[in-house]
Amino acid sequence: MLIRKLSTKVIGFLIIISPLTSVAKPTTGKPKVITLSSPKISMTLDYENKACITSLIINNQKVITQTNGIFTSVKVGGVTYSSLHLKKNPVLVQAAGSIKIAGISYGDKDLTINENWIFLKKNGAIKWQIDRSFSKAVKVEEAAMPVINFDDINTWEGAYQGYGGLAWFYLFNEKLCTYGVHTRSSNFWNSKSGIGLNITVDAPGKQIAMKYTRTNENQLAYTITVSNQEMLSRADSGTNRRRFIRNSTNVWSAFDMPAGASSQSLTFSYFDYNEKYGRGKLAGINGEQVNAVLGTIARIGVIDSLHFGGNSWHTPYGPICLHEQYIAQLGLGINDPAYIKGYASCLDFYRDHAIKPDGRVYPRWAYTNEDAAPGQSNQYGFYEAQWGILMDSNPDFVTNVAELYDMTGDKKWVKTQQLSCEKALDWILKRDSNHNGLVEMMTDNQAQKKSSDWIDIIWASYENAFVNANLYHALVKWAAIERQLGNDTRAQYYESFAAHLKTSFNKPTSEGGFWDEEKKCYVHWRDKDNSIHGRNMVTPVNFMAIAYDICDDSARKKLILDNIEEQMQKEKLFFWPLAMTSYEPGEGKEWQWPFPAYENGDLFLSWGSVAVKAYASYNPALAVKYVKNVLDRYSKDGLAYQRYGRLKQDGLGDDILSGNSLSIVGLYQAIYGINPLYNRFYLDPHITPELAGTELRYNFRGQRLTINLDNNRYAVSNKMFKVICDKNFGFFATKNQLSYFNGNSSIAAIQITTNQPLTIKLNNWSTGNMAWEQTVSKPSAQPLNYLVKQLKPNAGYKISVNGKNIQKLKSNSNGEITINHLTKSETEKINIDYED
């Protein structure tokens, strides 16, 4: 038991910290305050004529030092009642392992709110239970249950939400900015101090909403509201979807509070920011900047718990583009289980509310209907855009489902998405009226002045390479899932369509394809009259063709990538523009001329991941160069723009895009080679010499993996197992079983079962010879069991240890052998050789 005496000049009492909680006895005649402490958290309560937490200290750093630090309040009939102004003095009740502030009563002659506050220490955290009752039913205009007033808007850099989103206080650039969300927990963090505070609300059967406000005093007010029904946004009238407002704190609509009792609890717990969110040692690159981009910009498109996209909640009309294929991919770089889980719920919401009965996927959602085509929206806020029928939303929904499934391996979940994904694909596949493998847009020619893809004020029509590239990617991914779900007929149909699409895509424009022999690039689209448009090296089209393996002609790849880089060097651009040269007049919205302007040649960072992947296997040094350029730009302006102008390379547009982080996601996926797949962790690095020595920490299916990347030597490990290899491989581990996947195979080459730590270093893996070194902690403890797969069926194999033959075995009809081996030394060399 620890006893600590504090200055009587400050609070005048002894604190006794027991294993259960910290309690104190107020000194007679002194102010009624009491302090509770856990190893990392200390809070002081003032209960003299009020009930309020006046001090909160996190890991020895003061975050609240105010007389109105944390309290409860409600606003009814224009009047605010709070625990700062009570009807009578509350009472301190001390019990074993807890303290209680009882008799907290506020209101007026017509309304009384009674509360009891109970504090407990639990596993290093402090749990605060609030039991509350209303004397009668009321319409509550605003409720703080409680409000937590941190000293400064800069106390925390941000707060990660329970679903993986972010309240980023950098964007609270004026007083009375307010952001409201639906979640039960918030992780406040400061990367500079390294401290973190999780606050989790538990209110069984109730709905939880939170809001964050920069106050007139430049403090951060964090307000929790507990209600019977989900809180509805107050703005805008008729839509009620706006989550971010300015010049007000009133983000939520009034709600009904019934008479009677209720209970809720808040748990305050400390975390170390670097331990929880740190990424390890990133050699040859600024690791702090990488973590910052993936921790902020990458999350900014998550507007609320069921609304994930690429445009930020800070944008005036708050749009979400469902026609973006990289929202799940962002989760690969963010690497927060909360984001993965949250996006699964979001995709369920989209499945249920954003897909029409015929399979058409609405491409957008927004706070308002100002961007919607007249009469083309539904009650949930999803709509067709005024610019045209954006066809890429159908394949992009499927791609996001497929890629999220790769991250989770949750076959039960993906099964719930199967019918919707099939409907989405079938809707767009029906658009191939001439049966040439290329689907057609809703418009026939550019003169109709309607768009059909992400580049939404360029009038791509009829056969659009951008949309068809996205479709190919979705078909390949979804066909593999159909096979896993046992639907070989569907899988074959999608595979066949993808193959036909690929063949047609690669044909010269003179033969009905997209390859422009003169311009040495894939064009953007073909009108129905067979005229060719977008011959200006549209980078997303050409990068997708390479990254998605549509283009497998190495000479073409070289032409595309070299020509782009040549122009990049001439203009000294820090990032790839949407188009290397100008669209022709008439191919887009008029104000985009003269070139460059907006989608006619400006720099949109959202295509960074496909660009990095396109260069990764060809010239990874170039990819890394542009990744570093983006990181450098982040250090200057936070990437807090929609795009960058071509001429001045200056930030433009108030629509901040989470896609600005995608080159950093590309660093993770294509350069570091991190690819979570449905049944394994697949590592396929393309590192440059300067990145050698990188040691990453990565969350994968509830495990914290360590990935070591050196030149021609790569490793993946958890607390139990480690695999070392000089090429790409797959890794999967359960409690006592390690699976190694050779190359990009989806079938484990070997499974080793043991109850002790094991390291294997692969020296060779081929049909005729499998060789590895293994290290165990306790030789002869018990036999290791090996199940070796993908051998020749019914064939003879010789097993040797340290050069000595120990056994001969014959594989079964499935090409498998089982070996039980009792190790004799910590390190052994094992060989399995085929014998005729």
Side-chain angles (χ1 to χ4, degrees):
M1 182 177 288
L2 175 64
I3 301 178
R4 183 185 303 162
K5 188 170 184 179
L6 301 185
S7 169
T8 56
K9 293 182 180 180
V10 180
I11 53 178
F13 56 79
L14 269 174
I15 294 178
I16 301 177
I17 303 177
S18 72
L20 288 175
T21 189
S22 305
V23 298
K25 179 183 292 186
T27 304
T28 302
K30 298 295 182 180
K32 293 182 178 181
V33 292
I34 188 167
T35 296
L36 302 90
S37 296
S38 69
K40 297 290 185 179
I41 302 174
S42 175
M43 58 174 62
T44 299
L45 286 75
D46 185 337
Y47 59 102
E48 185 166 21
N49 298 315
K50 63 180 177 179
C52 179
I53 296 172
T54 57
S55 172
L56 181 63
I57 301 172
I58 307 299
N59 199 30
N60 298 318
Q61 296 192 45
K62 295 178 180 179
V63 296
I64 293 176
T65 59
Q66 309 168 53
T67 56
N68 65 340
I70 307 176
F71 62 93
T72 58
S73 72
V74 293
K75 185 178 181 181
V76 178
V79 179
T80 299
Y81 308 102
S82 81
S83 65
L84 296 177
H85 304 283
L86 302 182
K87 292 184 173 183
K88 59 182 179 180
N89 248 329
V91 177
L92 172 67
V93 179
Q94 301 187 46
S98 71
I99 65 168
K100 178 178 180 179
I101 308 295
I104 301 168
S105 182
Y106 53 95
D108 58 21
K109 62 183 179 61
D110 296 319
L111 171 66
T112 298
I113 300 104
N114 290 316
E115 294 178 350
N116 292 321
W117 296 0
I118 303 168
F119 295 87
L120 300 160
K121 179 180 172 183
K122 184 178 180 181
N123 299 324
I126 293 178
K127 182 179 180 180
W128 174 17
Q129 180 177 320
I130 303 174
D131 296 330
R132 177 184 298 111
S133 68
F134 278 75
S135 62
K136 68 175 185 177
V138 291
K139 175 75 75 172
V140 176
E141 295 162 28
E142 287 189 86
M145 303 175 177
V147 58
I148 301 174
N149 292 301
F150 294 108
D151 282 351
D152 194 276
I153 189 66
N154 296 314
T155 297
W156 308 105
E157 291 175 61
Y160 295 136
Q161 307 304 297
Y163 50 83
L166 167 68
W168 191 18
F169 305 130
Y170 171 80
L171 298 181
F172 287 48
N173 53 5
E174 61 184 5
K175 295 176 180 179
L176 298 184
C177 284
T178 300
Y179 175 43
V181 296
H182 299 88
T183 186
R184 292 177 178 268
S185 69
S186 190
N187 283 327
F188 295 89
W189 53 273
N190 187 308
S191 64
K192 298 176 182 65
S193 65
I195 65 170
L197 172 65
N198 171 268
I199 299 177
T200 297
V201 181
D202 182 27
K206 304 290 185 179
Q207 298 293 317
I208 311 297
M210 299 178 179
K211 68 177 180 180
Y212 306 83
T213 300
R214 178 173 179 169
T215 70
N216 278 319
E217 294 75 30
N218 285 321
Q219 297 167 346
L220 171 63
Y222 164 55
T223 306
I224 296 165
T225 300
V226 181
S227 59
N228 286 349
Q229 303 296 324
E230 180 178 297
M231 293 295 292
L232 181 69
S233 298
R234 183 178 294 268
D236 299 285
S237 178
T239 57
N240 301 99
R241 297 191 290 265
R242 187 176 297 276
R243 304 302 199 270
F244 181 73
I245 59 176
R246 295 181 181 274
N247 302 312
S248 176
T249 66
N250 215 359
V251 71
W252 301 121
S253 295
F255 65 100
D256 294 321
M257 178 68 73
S262 64
S263 182
Q264 69 184 68
S265 67
L266 287 76
T267 300
F268 295 72
S269 57
Y270 168 82
F271 64 86
D272 181 288
Y273 171 79
N274 294 313
E275 178 63 29
K276 188 175 182 66
Y277 296 109
R279 294 177 178 270
K281 173 189 173 186
L282 277 62
I285 206 161
N286 191 316
E288 289 185 4
Q289 291 176 353
V290 168
N291 199 20
V293 171
L294 295 177
T296 56
I297 291 293
R299 297 183 189 243
I300 201 67
V302 184
I303 292 179
D304 202 347
S305 59
L306 297 176
H307 295 85
F308 284 50
N311 302 66
S312 85
W313 44 262
H314 186 265
T315 305
Y317 74 100
I320 289 173
C321 292
L322 279 72
H323 57 117
E324 290 176 330
Q325 72 272 38
Y326 43 70
I327 307 304
Q329 187 187 27
L330 286 167
L332 183 149
I334 292 169
N335 194 220
D336 182 354
Y339 181 96
I340 303 302
K341 184 178 179 181
Y343 190 42
S345 296
C346 169
L347 287 172
D348 290 344
F349 183 76
Y350 291 175
R351 174 199 64 205
D352 298 339
H353 302 301
I355 302 179
K356 296 181 181 180
D358 65 354
R360 171 61 180 152
V361 179
Y362 279 111
R364 292 187 177 174
W365 177 96
Y367 292 156
T368 68
N369 294 332
E370 65 193 80
D371 182 50
Q376 293 293 310
S377 61
N378 70 12
Q379 67 188 91
Y380 302 102
F382 298 101
Y383 63 89
E384 296 284 3
Q386 61 180 315
W387 311 110
I389 304 300
L390 308 178
M391 304 279 282
D392 41 351
S393 58
N394 275 60
D396 290 351
F397 175 80
V398 176
T399 293
N400 281 312
V401 169
E403 293 198 342
L404 192 73
Y405 168 59
D406 267 338
M407 293 181 209
T408 66
D410 187 345
K411 188 177 289 189
K412 182 178 178 181
W413 173 78
V414 83
K415 178 71 175 175
T416 69
Q417 293 282 352
Q418 186 177 15
L419 180 60
S420 295
C421 286
E422 290 172 351
K423 286 173 61 178
L425 287 175
D426 292 350
W427 182 90
I428 194 169
L429 294 181
K430 291 175 184 177
R431 297 292 307 168
D432 181 21
S433 64
N434 58 9
H435 307 294
N436 68 345
L438 300 173
V439 298
E440 299 131 13
M441 307 301 102
M442 304 300 284
T443 50
D444 291 339
N445 59 75
Q446 68 175 46
Q448 294 173 265
K449 295 187 177 182
K450 291 293 183 180
S451 59
S452 57
D453 63 40
W454 190 92
I455 309 176
D456 60 1
I457 54 172
I458 295 295
W459 312 137
S461 306
Y462 199 58
E463 291 177 345
N464 178 342
F466 186 110
V467 172
N468 276 279
N470 275 334
L471 176 59
Y472 177 83
H473 188 52
L475 286 169
V476 170
K477 285 188 166 293
W478 190 254
I481 293 174
E482 288 285 357
R483 289 207 181 277
Q484 293 175 43
L485 297 177
N487 195 338
D488 290 341
T489 301
R490 278 275 184 178
Q492 187 175 358
Y493 168 53
Y494 296 140
E495 289 164 352
S496 177
F497 199 106
H500 192 191
L501 188 161
K502 179 175 180 176
T503 298
S504 295
F505 193 106
N506 283 302
K507 288 180 179 179
T509 54
S510 60
E511 299 177 18
F514 293 126
W515 178 251
D516 190 323
E517 292 281 10
E518 179 187 352
K519 299 294 186 180
K520 305 303 180 187
C521 68
Y522 292 99
V523 301
H524 192 166
W525 79 92
R526 170 196 308 276
D527 276 352
K528 193 171 184 178
D529 64 5
N530 215 34
S531 58
I532 306 301
H533 301 275
R535 303 178 67 200
N536 50 328
M537 187 69 84
V538 180
T539 53
V541 169
N542 286 272
F543 285 146
M544 283 192 288
I546 296 171
Y548 296 162
D549 293 324
I550 300 169
C551 176
D552 48 20
D553 183 324
S554 58
R556 279 189 186 179
K557 291 180 182 180
K558 187 176 189 304
L559 276 171
I560 293 169
L561 298 175
D562 286 352
N563 288 343
I564 290 175
E565 179 58 18
E566 181 180 352
Q567 186 66 27
M568 295 290 289
Q569 290 295 328
K570 285 180 181 178
E571 297 188 50
K572 295 182 171 54
L573 299 176
F574 86 92
F575 192 82
W576 302 281
L578 270 186
M580 298 310 297
T581 58
S582 180
Y583 283 96
E584 293 295 322
E587 291 184 339
K589 195 75 173 169
E590 295 81 1
W591 58 260
Q592 296 177 103
W593 282 265
F595 173 86
Y598 199 58
E599 292 174 351
N600 188 23
D602 274 352
L603 284 57
F604 284 80
L605 276 58
S606 292
W607 298 99
S609 61
V610 289
V612 168
K613 188 172 182 180
Y615 276 103
S617 58
Y618 173 67
N619 189 341
L622 279 178
V624 172
K625 178 181 80 170
Y626 290 105
V627 167
K628 288 186 173 183
N629 287 349
V630 172
L631 291 173
D632 178 65
R633 190 53 58 112
Y634 177 84
S635 70
K636 296 174 181 177
D637 62 21
L639 302 178
Y641 298 98
Q642 180 199 49
R643 67 193 190 281
Y644 288 83
R646 177 94 164 242
L647 298 178
K648 297 180 181 179
Q649 300 190 60
D650 52 335
L652 299 172
D654 58 6
D655 188 359
I656 303 168
L657 303 183
S658 62
N660 290 347
S661 70
L662 277 164
S663 57
I664 316 305
V665 175
L667 168 72
Y668 260 68
Q669 186 170 36
I671 303 299
Y672 294 151
I674 290 175
N675 289 273
L677 296 178
Y678 72 98
N679 67 340
R680 65 200 184 280
F681 178 87
Y682 176 54
L683 188 66
D684 183 23
H686 297 87
I687 65 167
T688 59
E690 65 184 323
L691 303 183
T694 292
E695 182 178 288
L696 301 171
R697 290 185 290 174
Y698 197 81
N699 298 311
F700 179 71
R701 312 272 169 83
Q703 301 181 41
R704 187 75 150 165
L705 301 183
T706 299
I707 297 99
N708 298 95
L709 302 173
D710 285 298
N711 291 317
N712 300 315
R713 181 184 170 94
Y714 316 120
V716 178
S717 59
N718 63 6
K719 293 180 179 180
M720 183 75 168
F721 299 113
K722 185 175 186 176
V723 174
I724 304 169
C725 195
D726 62 1
K727 65 183 186 71
N728 57 319
F729 69 93
F731 170 99
F732 189 78
T734 56
K735 181 179 180 181
N736 62 354
Q737 187 177 84
L738 170 66
S739 296
Y740 162 76
F741 297 76
N742 185 40
N744 64 358
S745 174
S746 61
I747 301 174
I750 187 171
Q751 292 178 328
I752 306 175
T753 303
T754 178
N755 62 2
Q756 62 172 308
L758 169 69
T759 297
I760 62 170
K761 176 180 176 294
L762 280 300
N763 295 326
N764 186 62
W765 204 276
S766 62
T767 304
N769 172 255
M770 290 129 278
W772 69 91
E773 296 178 25
Q774 65 182 34
T775 301
V776 297
S777 58
K778 297 179 181 179
S780 303
Q782 77 174 61
L784 275 67
N785 176 269
Y786 308 81
L787 175 60
V788 187
K789 302 181 177 183
Q790 296 184 287
L791 305 174
K792 293 182 178 181
N794 304 311
Y797 286 89
K798 176 179 65 177
I799 294 90
S800 62
V801 177
N802 294 331
K804 182 180 179 180
N805 295 335
I806 63 167
Q807 196 174 10
K808 289 186 178 182
L809 293 172
K810 184 179 180 180
S811 63
N812 62 22
S813 59
N814 294 321
E816 301 172 343
I817 60 174
T818 300
I819 306 167
N820 286 292
H821 172 61
L822 190 64
T823 58
K824 300 294 178 63
S825 59
E826 287 186 359
T827 301
E828 294 180 331
K829 295 182 178 181
I830 298 180
N831 278 264
I832 301 175
D833 293 288
Y834 169 68
E835 289 189 321
D836 289 325

